[in-house]
Structures are given as C-alpha cells and as structure tokens.
Amino acid sequence: MNLFQLLKKDHDEVEKLLERLKDSSERAAKSRKSGLEKLHQLLIPHMEAEEEVYYQALVDVGEKDVAFEGMEEHRAARAVLSDLEAIDVTDERWKSRVKVLGELILHHVEEEESEMFDKTREQFDDQQIDQLGDRVQQRKRKSMH
C-alpha cells in the first residue's frame, strides 16, 4: 500500500472528526464523548505506526531533523489529547482544547505532507515507499487490537 495515500487518508479522517468536534455544542455530550473516543482510536495507532516505522526509516537514512520534529509534534498532540480527555465534555474549556489540538494536527499534517513526503521521495524508491506503507498499516492494526 502506498505510504502517502495511507497517511493522507488517515489525516483527512482525523481532520474531519476534529472539525465535527470543534463545531459541536456542550449539549451534544454523548456525541462529543463518542467522537473523542474515535479520535483517540484513530490518532494513537497512527502516531505510533508513524514513529516506529516511517520516522524510524527516515532516521535510518539520515533525515533525523524532520523525523524528530514529527515526533515532537506527536508528543505535543498527545499531551493536548490527554488534557482534552481529562476534562468533562461539557466543560467550557473543552472546545478550546479541541481547537488547539486541531491547530497542532493541521500544522503537523501540512509539514508532513509537504516537507516530510518530499524527503521520503528523495530517499526511497516507489517500491520502498509501498513497503513502508504496508509496514505502517501492519503496525496500526497491531495497535488497534
């Protein structure tokens, strides 16, 4: 599976979910809770797979800066996600945390899909990129179970 298509699909799904959460009202507690659970189920396996497979492959070929920056952005996103999960979905600060998480994710996705994808194309051929995609997909499945 093509790495870029796989990651782009995940990114699009997370962005849509964040948008729905950001637009939700405090009265929609049940949908906020289920949306937050879904967000966690999408984000955590995605980030773990990227870090262990994709970013590690970049580190291995000398693209450490871009990989380490991606890992730091994941760390920041995990912290905000954890903060978001720690407060009640009806808390008036909840929506602001969703917005901040969305901004972090959007920034990360933009950098990844441009700068990081470009570095990957420079370092790996099409077959290697497909193999990375397969390995990322396998790692995501492992995290989901």
Side-chain angles (χ1 to χ4, degrees):
M1 168 172 273
N2 183 277
L3 174 71
F4 305 131
Q5 292 170 351
L6 171 67
L7 297 181
K8 181 99 176 79
K9 180 179 165 283
D10 285 357
H11 295 162
D12 292 347
E13 202 172 342
V14 166
E15 286 176 32
K16 284 179 192 148
L17 184 53
L18 280 164
E19 205 52 44
R20 280 201 311 270
L21 288 172
K22 195 172 69 176
D23 292 341
S24 68
S25 71
E26 291 171 21
R27 292 188 311 269
K30 197 180 276 187
S31 67
R32 278 184 171 185
K33 281 180 185 165
S34 66
L36 188 56
E37 285 174 21
K38 174 88 172 142
L39 183 64
H40 185 102
Q41 292 166 359
L42 288 171
L43 268 181
I44 299 303
H46 173 91
M47 290 191 291
E48 288 173 351
E50 276 189 338
E51 290 168 9
E52 291 177 28
V53 178
Y54 180 33
Y55 295 177
Q56 187 57 53
L58 287 169
V59 167
D60 291 345
V61 296
E63 296 292 351
K64 292 179 181 171
D65 289 347
V66 72
F68 292 157
E69 184 179 341
M71 289 178 197
E72 284 304 308
E73 290 171 351
H74 281 183
R75 187 189 58 73
R78 278 188 185 93
V80 176
L81 178 62
S82 179
D83 290 347
L84 184 61
E85 292 171 330
I87 63 171
D88 192 270
V89 295
T90 59
D91 188 298
E92 59 190 18
R93 296 169 296 174
W94 194 86
K95 198 176 227 179
S96 295
R97 286 189 185 169
V98 169
K99 185 177 180 193
V100 168
L101 180 60
E103 289 168 355
L104 277 169
I105 298 287
L106 190 60
H107 167 81
H108 173 73
V109 164
E110 287 172 356
E111 279 193 351
E112 189 171 274
E113 290 182 3
S114 60
E115 185 180 335
M116 198 175 289
F117 283 12
D118 287 347
K119 297 276 187 199
T120 305
R121 286 184 190 95
E122 291 170 14
Q123 296 290 341
F124 301 96
D125 63 29
D126 289 346
Q127 183 180 358
Q128 292 169 315
I129 290 169
D130 288 345
Q131 289 169 344
L132 280 171
D134 291 341
R135 289 177 45 221
V136 166
Q137 184 67 30
Q138 289 168 352
R139 178 60 182 86
K140 276 179 49 186
R141 282 194 192 112
K142 193 172 112 183
S143 287
M144 292 174 170
H145 295 106

